[in-house]
Amino acid sequence: MRLSKFHLATVKEVPADAEIVSHQLMLRAGMIRKLAAGLYTWSPLGLRVLRKVEAVVREEMNRAGAIEVLMPAVQPRELWEETGRWEKFGGQLLKMKDRKEAWYCFGPTHEEVVTDFARAELHSYKQLPLNFYQIQTKFRDEIRPRFGVMRAREFLMKDAYSFHLSAECLEREYWNMYNAYTRIFTRLELKFRPVQADAGAIGGSVTHEFHVLAESGEDAIAFSDGSDYAANVEKAEAMAPATGRTAPAAALERVATPTQRSIDEVSGFLGVAAAGCLKTILVRGNDGLVALCVRGDHEINEIKASKLAELPGEPVLADEAEIVKALGCKPGFIGPVGLPDSIPVIVDRDAAVLADFVCGGNQDGSHYRGANWLRDARLSRVEDLRKVVDGDASPDGKGQIRLARGIEVGHVFQLGTKYAEALNASVIDQSGKSQVLAMGCYGIGVSRIVAAAIEQNFDAAGIVWPEPMAPWRVVLCLINPKNDTNVAAVADALYADLQARGVDVALDDRGLRAGGMFADMELIGIPHRVVVSERGVAAGTFEYRARRDSESRQLSRDEVLALFA
Amino acid sequence: MRLSKFHLATVKEVPADAEIVSHQLMLRAGMIRKLAAGLYTWSPLGLRVLRKVEAVVREEMNRAGAIEVLMPAVQPRELWEETGRWEKFGGQLLKMKDRKEAWYCFGPTHEEVVTDFARAELHSYKQLPLNFYQIQTKFRDEIRPRFGVMRAREFLMKDAYSFHLSAECLEREYWNMYNAYTRIFTRLELKFRPVQADAGAIGGSVTHEFHVLAESGEDAIAFSDGSDYAANVEKAEAMAPATGRTAPAAALERVATPTQRSIDEVSGFLGVAAAGCLKTILVRGNDGLVALCVRGDHEINEIKASKLAELPGEPVLADEAEIVKALGCKPGFIGPVGLPDSIPVIVDRDAAVLADFVCGGNQDGSHYRGANWLRDARLSRVEDLRKVVDGDASPDGKGQIRLARGIEVGHVFQLGTKYAEALNASVIDQSGKSQVLAMGCYGIGVSRIVAAAIEQNFDAAGIVWPEPMAPWRVVLCLINPKNDTNVAAVADALYADLQARGVDVALDDRGLRAGGMFADMELIGIPHRVVVSERGVAAGTFEYRARRDSESRQLSRDEVLALFA
């Protein structure tokens, strides 16, 4: 590509709402331009990168045996009502009415449509297994679209859906996809981790997320420093402590804590470490209030709590009026000692081994010291209730947990029969019986990958693309000659030679001065830069510099060609 | 592709609402499946064809110097209000409200968005000319979606928009695009015609449509048998007759036509050819009624009539009450003799040279014979008002007009400054002054091309793809051996050899019987079929048949390879 015939439009000013580096750099490089909240036009430069990511995803999906299809973006309400998601999906579902007053949505995902396709197309076990995928525009009406294409409303997604006769077959395809995803992110030269995850609203049991590791990531990831264990913090198990509860040594004693409510305040006031205090919260259960207890230095993991049989879903804190009514005290003074029998007390594994601990006194302005389970306080059940912390034992028994931030770029699910049952998608099996299909689903955020890659690959001058997704692998910078020499002809010939060898090369023939040209090429992150200048042509050399290097070097023409062989 | 790993699902029954052959064959071949009215999923087979068309379009757009971008499908109302099209676009515009109650539409076209992009990105004449294109999903809420993907609501379109400083530069790019379109449809091996067209609602002046010629086409096309002149019948000029009006010979005579109203009835009743009768209609003008006259054997061209200064737009017939009030007679008896002076009489070129003609008597049950212009009837102005007919002189003076049916698959427009003015998109020109951009726009219906190609390429057995858009160029049909021979190994080796040579080949290893396999491959239209059978392997030959041929022949392995070299 000759850049004089391209549209390159780097910019100096970046809007104040561009909070993260990828958003700032994509705007400065002119890769995207905002149309409206969460809606972006991909400029010619941006699209080159997006298409390179798309091509790698497509190649690896094909290699893994998935078959590409293309489903409509606009989906009829009736289908979403069959699975109950027309209402359940919530505000992210963009709904619309056509000229005949029929309701549709802009597809945020395609489980309904693909299962409808499958129930029409698939009749016999002989057609299975199958994995259909598409690379297609989705829309999710985010409450707070932000971070540019990282959390846009309209975005490009690769979504795949596999169909099977048995759970075993589904599991084989699940790992096939897991491996394909690993190849995709490896080929894109990203630092990533597949992590165990919670299935959430999509449903299903076994599931992994693929995270690109970056400080700006919205997810917290726990991984082991002694194995390949990794999990979303939402999901990561906090193991039971190695040693059990010690016998009570202190007597139970009520102490005045007139204004001390938080763990920090109580711990400081009483001179007891937070790890020696108990944090108790009251939440609304299916059948009255429920007490959840974790150690003072730990935090409740809401996803884990949401799975307790006593809770209807995500935990909702009891409000002050409910607490006053139940206990006669305000929040901040709650503890398990003397709680009414009607309130189950569910205690985290680490909190359950505390002895002689501090906890709320269930009276305003009062706590207990020297409290002990069983002797002083009822303990209904021990559960894993907390978020893991740095230094925890890894659940696989190897090494310690470390924490990192991640950007979710892929997700694989074993859905099982959830959607196939709702939509009655079945085939005749080997024995002639009708059998509901087992399904997997596998998503990749194609446009998000572009932003995530930048979060891992930038410096003060701009983006530093991994080669497989760079807009061009190499740029020839033609420095306008002062004299009537053949510099342009030399550049043209080298450009033609590289193109003939299949090298993805750009020729910067825009006539800019060297400083501006180099700044642009560094900002947009081209991995290799070759300068064609009057002095170089006279000396028979080209100044070469890799984007990741700080020094340039002089190469002969043959050396330049050899570099990209 | 091994078809055992693919999803091929040909069907026998076709829904009764599939009226045209491409719709029927796309359903029978299992290329598409209906999700809802005007919404189709492209199956793996259908998508292969769609992608091939897309690839040719992209290659030729790139070759022509256009630059690919990707704009959002979802577009904010505010932008459409700047051009006035939020209301004017009509019912085809699918509108929706997001969770914040802001209005958007699903883009049916992108003039607004691309002009908004241009006004933000373009500042100087130095950046021009530019031509941005995308290949992207559009939605138009057709009143009556039909013919499968031919007139679907959601469809794949290539839309391009060029920006220029001058009308001359725009015109150069217009013809550049015209030539690119010609290359695209030529490469796709379609029988097509670029035809002059009416600009319609998109706006602009010079415009051509590209039509694939097919009986089922919704458009009528006029072309010359003696030159390359071609125009949409909407637009085609009917030339003035070579000879002028002859002098009146007959006297004006009122004759009774008690129940004869239509030209056919009057002409038969009076024994005068339809070409000797005058057809007069009254339409609503800007300022009272207007009479339009054409020869009895001709028809009013509504697009031409809509451009008369006296009319507000598309002609609307006066109703019976209006006619009775103005003339005292009912429709069917209207003529120019004795019409009130307030009614302009606008006469088609051919009608204006009639002499001694029959026309309505402006009294119920009465016509005139022997009527003549000027002597008997007022004639306000002569205009080209009629549709061309077979045998008309070609407007370029070369040959005669012939009529054909066409499917519009492409359209190029010189928009001029219409959108740039509305959105205030301007750049600084060479002299430092701000200048509004001139624009062109250029569309191709990518998904429609697939259906249009079938309308031109089918036989009783199914689709007969042009090679450049066939799902595979060649299929190897592996006939299951009865004995334990190496037929499968021979097929595998030939398959691998062809693949290694870059041939787009499928191996039908589904284990079907020969009849079913051949029927499938003919239905889905694979251009070349090579049979690998026990008998052939024993004889060292392969049965080869081209889809367009009726006979097969035996080829050696080398001959097979040479065929696809």
Side-chain angles (χ1 to χ4, degrees):
Chain A
M1 178 62 69
R2 288 177 183 273
L3 297 188
S4 62
K5 306 285 183 194
F6 193 72
H7 173 69
L8 203 64
T10 57
V11 292
K12 293 225 162 55
E13 317 74 29
V14 168
D17 69 348
E19 299 169 43
I20 60 172
V21 72
S22 60
H23 189 190
Q24 291 161 0
L25 287 175
M26 288 181 79
L27 290 171
R28 280 185 54 203
M31 291 177 62
I32 53 171
R33 186 169 281 278
K34 184 174 173 178
L35 173 64
L39 301 175
Y40 291 88
T41 290
W42 289 80
S43 78
L45 183 72
L47 188 62
R48 285 188 75 90
V49 179
L50 186 66
R51 292 279 189 238
K52 294 212 172 178
V53 175
E54 187 182 330
V56 169
V57 171
R58 178 173 285 115
E59 273 178 37
E60 292 300 335
M61 289 303 290
N62 290 344
R63 188 194 310 268
I67 312 175
E68 192 171 1
V69 298
L70 182 61
M71 294 180 266
V74 175
Q75 310 183 1
R77 168 185 183 156
E78 292 70 27
L79 211 46
W80 283 71
E81 282 183 336
E82 287 191 60
T83 60
R85 291 209 295 181
W86 183 255
E87 294 303 332
K88 258 194 279 179
F89 205 90
Q92 285 203 335
L93 195 64
L94 183 66
K95 298 172 178 177
M96 49 210 173
K97 240 184 337 188
D98 75 0
R99 66 195 299 159
K100 289 170 182 159
E101 304 282 312
W103 279 100
Y104 293 83
C105 67
F106 195 126
T109 179
H110 276 67
E111 281 82 9
E112 279 79 3
V113 174
V114 78
T115 309
D116 177 64
F117 182 73
R119 70 179 165 184
E121 296 265 324
L122 306 182
H123 311 290
S124 160
Y125 70 94
K126 292 180 191 166
Q127 296 173 284
L128 299 179
L130 276 170
N131 188 345
F132 295 122
Y133 80 97
Q134 60 178 352
I135 297 178
Q136 196 235 24
T137 301
K138 300 279 189 282
F139 194 98
R140 293 184 187 170
D141 201 359
E142 298 283 348
I143 292 186
R144 198 186 152 208
R146 56 188 164 151
F147 302 155
V149 299
M150 188 79 88
R151 190 167 287 280
R153 296 198 291 172
E154 187 175 324
F155 58 99
L156 191 65
M157 182 169 169
K158 188 284 296 171
D159 46 329
Y161 308 88
S162 68
F163 296 92
H164 310 269
L165 205 59
S166 70
E168 295 69 42
C169 183
L170 163 59
E171 198 180 339
R172 274 196 301 277
E173 182 63 14
Y174 179 86
W175 291 109
N176 179 38
M177 283 292 106
Y178 181 101
N179 292 331
Y181 278 34
T182 300
R183 284 196 301 273
I184 287 167
F185 299 120
T186 303
R187 275 186 61 182
L188 293 174
E189 299 180 6
L190 296 171
K191 292 179 277 297
F192 72 98
R193 294 292 293 239
V195 306
Q196 297 174 21
D198 186 68
I202 299 273
S205 47
V206 182
T207 173
H208 282 85
E209 295 165 350
F210 286 75
H211 283 266
V212 163
L213 303 178
E215 280 304 313
S216 61
E218 293 188 88
D219 283 273
I221 291 165
F223 64 95
S224 167
D225 61 9
S227 73
D228 61 1
Y229 172 83
N232 194 307
V233 162
E234 286 181 347
K235 166 85 175 178
E237 186 177 2
M239 303 306 289
T243 53
R245 190 157 54 217
T246 54
L252 183 68
E253 173 194 4
R254 188 182 285 277
V255 291
T257 50
T259 60
Q260 289 73 33
R261 294 162 170 250
S262 71
I263 291 291
D264 276 1
E265 288 164 348
V266 172
S267 145
F269 185 71
L270 298 181
V272 176
C277 300
L278 187 77
K279 187 188 291 179
T280 307
I281 62 168
L282 281 188
V283 299
R284 294 173 185 161
N286 294 316
D287 191 25
L289 296 178
V290 176
L292 304 179
C293 302
V294 296
R295 226 168 62 184
D297 58 336
H298 287 156
E299 292 191 34
I300 297 268
N301 178 320
E302 302 202 335
I303 299 291
K304 292 177 181 175
S306 72
K307 295 187 173 157
L308 294 173
E310 290 84 352
L311 263 56
E314 288 227 351
V316 178
L317 283 175
D319 64 22
E320 184 165 322
E322 289 171 289
I323 294 168
V324 168
K325 187 178 168 205
L327 306 183
C329 73
K330 294 192 175 160
F333 302 105
I334 309 171
V337 180
L339 269 190
D341 282 353
S342 63
I343 300 181
V345 179
I346 302 175
V347 181
D348 178 65
R349 288 165 169 172
D350 279 279
V353 300
L354 285 177
D356 304 328
F357 55 84
V358 167
C359 64
N362 295 328
Q363 281 181 13
D364 286 343
S366 137
H367 277 77
Y368 285 112
R369 271 182 189 279
N372 281 277
W373 296 115
L374 307 180
R375 186 190 75 180
D376 309 316
R378 190 165 45 81
L379 180 158
S380 310
R381 205 165 73 252
V382 176
E383 291 280 1
D384 172 17
L385 274 189
R386 70 170 173 95
K387 291 183 186 163
V388 292
V389 296
D390 189 87
D392 274 347
S394 176
D396 65 355
K398 297 172 192 157
Q400 290 187 314
I401 288 294
R402 301 292 168 223
L403 297 179
R405 306 297 300 177
I407 300 164
E408 186 191 336
V409 289
H411 208 155
V412 291
F413 289 97
Q414 292 183 37
L415 290 173
T417 57
K418 175 177 167 174
Y419 291 94
E421 258 167 23
L423 289 158
N424 195 22
S426 55
V427 297
I428 301 300
D429 70 10
Q430 291 92 331
S431 63
K433 283 191 210 125
S434 176
Q435 193 170 318
V436 173
L437 292 166
M439 281 177 67
C441 83
Y442 319 95
I444 285 183
V446 179
S447 41
R448 180 181 283 183
I449 285 174
V450 176
I454 296 174
E455 293 292 331
Q456 277 190 346
N457 296 281
F458 67 93
D459 62 16
I463 303 167
V464 186
W465 288 115
E467 282 202 26
M469 65 173 89
W472 297 278
R473 190 171 166 216
V474 47
V475 60
L476 305 186
C477 289
L478 168 59
I479 309 293
N480 265 0
K482 293 196 188 72
N483 305 309
D484 181 22
T485 52
N486 66 339
V487 177
V490 169
D492 281 351
L494 182 56
Y495 176 62
D497 252 21
L498 286 167
Q499 279 198 316
R501 286 156 195 248
V503 178
D504 186 23
V505 55
L507 172 61
D508 194 344
D509 57 350
R510 293 177 298 161
L512 266 61
R513 287 197 294 183
M517 199 187 309
F518 294 172
D520 269 0
M521 294 305 115
E522 284 174 15
L523 174 57
I524 72 172
I526 309 303
H528 305 279
R529 184 181 82 198
V530 175
V531 179
V532 188
S533 66
E534 205 162 13
R535 193 193 308 177
V537 168
T541 60
F542 300 85
E543 183 191 292
Y544 164 78
R545 182 163 157 191
R547 180 66 180 84
R548 290 185 192 276
D549 292 347
S550 52
E551 296 295 322
S552 58
R553 51 199 166 109
Q554 298 294 326
L555 298 181
S556 71
R557 193 174 196 281
D558 284 348
E559 286 170 329
V560 169
L561 293 175
L563 211 54
F564 306 112
Chain B
M1 178 61 69
R2 289 177 181 272
L3 297 188
S4 63
K5 305 287 183 192
F6 193 71
H7 173 68
L8 203 63
T10 57
V11 293
K12 292 226 161 55
E13 318 76 29
V14 168
D17 70 348
E19 300 168 43
I20 60 172
V21 72
S22 61
H23 190 190
Q24 291 161 1
L25 286 175
M26 288 182 79
L27 290 171
R28 282 185 54 204
M31 291 178 61
I32 52 171
R33 186 169 280 279
K34 185 173 172 177
L35 172 64
L39 300 175
Y40 290 88
T41 291
W42 289 79
S43 78
L45 183 72
L47 187 63
R48 284 188 75 90
V49 178
L50 186 66
R51 292 278 189 241
K52 293 211 172 179
V53 175
E54 187 182 329
V56 169
V57 171
R58 179 173 285 116
E59 274 178 37
E60 293 299 335
M61 289 302 290
N62 290 344
R63 187 194 311 269
I67 311 174
E68 192 171 2
V69 299
L70 183 61
M71 294 179 267
V74 175
Q75 310 182 1
R77 168 185 184 156
E78 291 70 28
L79 212 44
W80 283 71
E81 284 184 333
E82 287 191 60
T83 60
R85 292 210 294 182
W86 183 255
E87 294 304 332
K88 258 194 278 178
F89 205 89
Q92 285 202 336
L93 194 64
L94 182 66
K95 298 172 177 178
M96 50 210 173
K97 240 184 338 190
D98 75 359
R99 68 196 297 160
K100 288 171 183 159
E101 303 281 312
W103 280 99
Y104 293 83
C105 67
F106 196 127
T109 179
H110 277 68
E111 282 81 10
E112 279 79 2
V113 174
V114 79
T115 309
D116 177 64
F117 182 73
R119 71 180 166 184
E121 295 265 324
L122 307 182
H123 311 290
S124 160
Y125 71 93
K126 292 181 190 165
Q127 296 173 285
L128 299 180
L130 277 170
N131 188 345
F132 295 122
Y133 81 97
Q134 60 177 354
I135 297 178
Q136 195 235 24
T137 300
K138 301 280 189 280
F139 195 98
R140 292 184 189 171
D141 201 359
E142 299 283 348
I143 291 186
R144 199 186 150 209
R146 56 187 164 150
F147 302 154
V149 298
M150 188 79 88
R151 189 168 288 280
R153 295 198 291 173
E154 188 174 324
F155 58 98
L156 192 64
M157 182 170 169
K158 188 285 298 172
D159 46 329
Y161 309 88
S162 68
F163 296 91
H164 311 269
L165 205 60
S166 70
E168 296 69 40
C169 183
L170 164 57
E171 198 180 340
R172 274 196 301 277
E173 183 62 14
Y174 180 85
W175 291 109
N176 179 39
M177 282 293 106
Y178 181 100
N179 293 331
Y181 278 33
T182 300
R183 283 196 302 274
I184 288 167
F185 299 120
T186 303
R187 276 185 61 183
L188 293 174
E189 299 180 7
L190 296 171
K191 292 178 278 297
F192 71 98
R193 295 291 294 236
V195 306
Q196 297 173 20
D198 185 68
I202 299 271
S205 47
V206 184
T207 172
H208 282 84
E209 296 166 352
F210 285 75
H211 282 266
V212 164
L213 304 177
E215 280 305 312
S216 62
E218 293 188 88
D219 282 272
I221 290 165
F223 63 95
S224 168
D225 60 10
S227 73
D228 60 1
Y229 172 83
N232 195 307
V233 162
E234 285 181 347
K235 166 86 176 179
E237 185 177 2
M239 303 306 289
T243 53
R245 190 155 56 217
T246 53
L252 184 68
E253 174 193 6
R254 188 183 284 277
V255 290
T257 50
T259 59
Q260 289 74 33
R261 294 163 170 248
S262 72
I263 292 291
D264 275 0
E265 289 164 349
V266 171
S267 145
F269 185 71
L270 299 181
V272 175
C277 301
L278 187 77
K279 188 187 290 176
T280 308
I281 62 168
L282 281 187
V283 299
R284 294 174 185 159
N286 294 315
D287 191 24
L289 297 177
V290 176
L292 305 179
C293 303
V294 295
R295 228 167 62 183
D297 58 336
H298 288 157
E299 291 192 34
I300 297 268
N301 179 318
E302 302 202 336
I303 299 290
K304 292 177 182 175
S306 72
K307 295 189 172 156
L308 294 172
E310 290 84 352
L311 263 57
E314 288 226 351
V316 178
L317 284 175
D319 64 22
E320 186 166 318
E322 289 172 289
I323 294 169
V324 168
K325 187 177 167 206
L327 307 183
C329 72
K330 292 190 176 161
F333 302 104
I334 309 171
V337 179
L339 269 190
D341 283 352
S342 64
I343 301 180
V345 179
I346 302 175
V347 182
D348 178 65
R349 289 166 170 171
D350 279 278
V353 299
L354 286 177
D356 304 328
F357 55 84
V358 167
C359 64
N362 295 329
Q363 280 180 13
D364 284 345
S366 136
H367 276 77
Y368 285 113
R369 269 181 190 280
N372 282 277
W373 294 113
L374 308 180
R375 188 191 75 177
D376 309 317
R378 189 164 45 83
L379 179 159
S380 311
R381 204 165 75 250
V382 176
E383 290 279 1
D384 172 19
L385 274 188
R386 70 172 174 93
K387 289 183 185 164
V388 291
V389 295
D390 188 88
D392 275 347
S394 175
D396 65 355
K398 297 173 194 159
Q400 291 185 313
I401 289 293
R402 302 290 168 224
L403 298 178
R405 306 295 301 176
I407 300 163
E408 187 191 334
V409 289
H411 207 154
V412 291
F413 289 97
Q414 292 183 35
L415 291 173
T417 56
K418 176 178 166 172
Y419 291 93
E421 257 166 26
L423 289 158
N424 195 21
S426 56
V427 298
I428 300 301
D429 69 11
Q430 291 91 332
S431 62
K433 283 190 209 127
S434 177
Q435 192 170 319
V436 173
L437 292 166
M439 282 178 68
C441 84
Y442 319 95
I444 286 184
V446 178
S447 41
R448 179 180 281 184
I449 286 175
V450 176
I454 297 175
E455 293 292 330
Q456 278 190 345
N457 296 282
F458 68 94
D459 62 17
I463 302 167
V464 186
W465 287 116
E467 282 203 26
M469 64 172 89
W472 297 278
R473 190 171 165 215
V474 49
V475 60
L476 304 186
C477 289
L478 169 59
I479 311 293
N480 265 0
K482 292 194 188 73
N483 307 308
D484 181 23
T485 52
N486 65 338
V487 177
V490 169
D492 281 351
L494 182 56
Y495 175 63
D497 252 21
L498 286 167
Q499 279 198 318
R501 286 156 196 248
V503 178
D504 185 23
V505 56
L507 173 61
D508 194 345
D509 58 349
R510 293 176 299 160
L512 267 61
R513 287 197 296 184
M517 200 188 307
F518 294 172
D520 269 359
M521 293 305 115
E522 285 173 16
L523 175 56
I524 71 173
I526 310 303
H528 304 279
R529 184 181 82 197
V530 175
V531 179
V532 187
S533 67
E534 204 162 14
R535 192 192 309 178
V537 167
T541 61
F542 300 85
E543 183 192 290
Y544 164 78
R545 183 163 158 192
R547 179 67 181 83
R548 291 186 191 274
D549 293 346
S550 52
E551 297 294 323
S552 58
R553 50 199 167 109
Q554 299 295 326
L555 298 181
S556 71
R557 193 175 196 279
D558 284 348
E559 286 170 327
V560 169
L561 291 175
L563 211 55
F564 307 111

